[in-house]
Amino acid sequence: IPSNATVFIFCAKFIERKRPLDVVKAFVELAKSNKAARLIMIGDGPLKQSLLVTANELGVNEQVLFPGLVQYGDLPKWYTASDVLVFGSEHEPYGLPVNEAMLCGIPVIVSDRIGARLDLVEQDKTGWIYSVGDINALAACMQEAIDKKQSLQQMGIAAKAKMASWSSQTNVQA
């Protein structure tokens, strides 16, 4: 991965409900103009072969990495080596990867169907929210992350601070 790359990470099962193909397709849009951008797709599942074929057919197979399943204890290494989590599920009551990424100090891009967005994601402060299934909107959020690369670190600090003040008890009180 080039040192000047903006690195996006997806971490979930490769199943329809998690919408990993949306992430790859959105990445294609910005990868055309930003050859240093990278996408790490952590996971496995029935859509893996389709994801590999799509990345190859759309010409981004050199920019999309598929490390497979990662041990839970090793996830922080992957998150901290990335700049932004992308999590686009069409239905997610909460979304643990959002907590994990923010605890590791990276901002998030989430669909409007991720439950954690209500508690944790502050638009343009700890991340971005887009309408599920809108690949153009997702690509626009990813492009904004690239355009604002200098502020991603500050957003990551805000994300980590948000997690420091968040708890189940705080959530219940709210």
Side-chain angles (χ1 to χ4, degrees):
I1 297 177
S3 61
N4 65 331
T6 302
V7 181
F8 298 94
I9 187 167
F10 172 92
C11 185
K13 282 186 176 180
F14 296 161
I15 58 176
E16 290 289 336
R17 180 174 68 85
K18 303 287 185 175
R19 302 187 73 94
L21 279 167
D22 286 3
V23 177
V24 171
K25 289 176 182 176
F27 180 77
V28 168
E29 292 306 310
L30 59 104
K32 293 173 186 174
S33 61
N34 191 325
K35 296 296 181 191
R38 294 294 184 270
L39 173 61
I40 299 171
M41 298 289 291
I42 292 180
D44 201 356
L47 294 178
K48 183 174 185 174
Q49 191 59 38
S50 180
L51 290 164
L52 291 166
V53 168
T54 299
N56 188 50
E57 287 177 349
L58 297 176
V60 293
N61 56 315
E62 296 292 321
Q63 291 172 269
V64 181
L65 309 169
F66 291 91
L69 290 175
V70 171
Q71 293 287 326
Y72 189 74
D74 291 334
L75 282 177
K77 295 175 191 174
W78 289 91
Y79 286 129
T80 57
S82 304
D83 294 300
V84 181
L85 171 75
V86 182
F87 197 53
S89 296
E90 65 188 42
H91 172 71
E92 202 70 52
Y94 194 74
L96 187 58
V98 176
N99 289 65
E100 295 167 346
M102 291 176 69
L103 280 167
C104 289
I106 66 170
V108 298
I109 299 172
V110 299
S111 81
D112 59 355
R113 303 283 179 84
I114 306 293
R117 82 187 185 289
L118 300 170
D119 299 327
L120 304 177
V121 184
E122 295 178 50
Q123 188 72 22
D124 297 317
K125 184 175 179 186
T126 62
W128 297 269
I129 302 168
Y130 72 98
S131 295
V132 71
D134 187 340
I135 294 171
N136 291 329
L138 174 53
C141 290
M142 294 171 82
Q143 184 62 55
E144 188 171 341
I146 289 173
D147 294 343
K148 294 182 174 181
K149 184 159 175 75
Q150 304 307 324
S151 61
L152 290 180
Q153 185 176 15
Q154 189 59 38
M155 290 179 76
I157 291 168
K160 196 169 188 174
K162 183 75 170 178
M163 292 308 301
S165 65
W166 181 89
S167 70
S168 297
Q169 185 60 35
T170 304
N171 193 31
V172 167
Q173 289 172 352

